[in-house]
Amino acid sequence: MSNTRKKHSPEFKAKVALAAVREDGTIAELSSRFGVHASQIHAWKKVLLDGTATLFARNNAGTKGDAAANEVLMAPLFEKIGQLTVERDFFRKRSGP
C-alpha cells in the first residue's frame, strides 16, 4: 500500500494558519476539522508569523522604488566596468601583438 502525499493549496494553508493564529479552537480541534496533522498546523502558523514582517518592510514599497534603488546601486558598478575595459584596451595596445 503506497502513501500519497496531500498537496494543499496556499489558500488552504493560509486559512488553517489564520485559524490557528486566531485561536478558533485548540490545535487538536483544528487538526480534526481540517484533516491536517497538528505539527503541520504549527509549521504553517510559524511561517505565517515569520512572514508577516516582510509585508511591512520599506524595501517592498513598489516596483518604481525598487528600480530606482537598483539603478543607484548599479551605476558605480557600470562605471567601474567601463574604467576597467578602457584600461585593458590601453594595456593591450601598449603591449603589442
Side-chain angles (χ1 to χ4, degrees):
M1 181 177 202
S2 66
N3 291 335
T4 57
R5 295 179 62 169
K6 292 181 182 178
K7 294 183 181 177
H8 300 288
S9 68
E11 291 82 13
F12 178 76
K13 292 176 185 180
K15 179 180 174 181
V16 174
L18 282 173
V21 169
R22 290 185 195 141
E23 297 178 355
D24 289 344
T26 65
I27 296 296
E29 290 171 351
L30 294 175
S31 176
S32 64
R33 185 184 328 156
F34 293 110
V36 178
H37 196 271
S39 62
Q40 189 64 62
I41 293 175
H42 284 293
W44 291 342
K45 179 180 175 181
K46 184 177 186 300
V47 169
L48 175 69
L49 293 176
D50 291 345
T52 53
T54 60
L55 295 173
F56 300 104
R58 293 185 137 213
N59 292 339
N60 295 335
T63 56
K64 291 182 181 179
D66 289 343
N70 285 340
E71 194 169 321
V72 169
L73 292 173
M74 297 297 280
L77 298 175
F78 286 127
E79 184 179 328
K80 187 66 174 177
I81 290 170
Q83 177 189 354
L84 293 173
T85 303
V86 169
E87 289 176 4
R88 182 199 63 199
D89 293 343
F90 174 78
F91 288 120
R92 186 176 288 163
K93 288 178 186 176
R94 297 280 293 182
S95 65

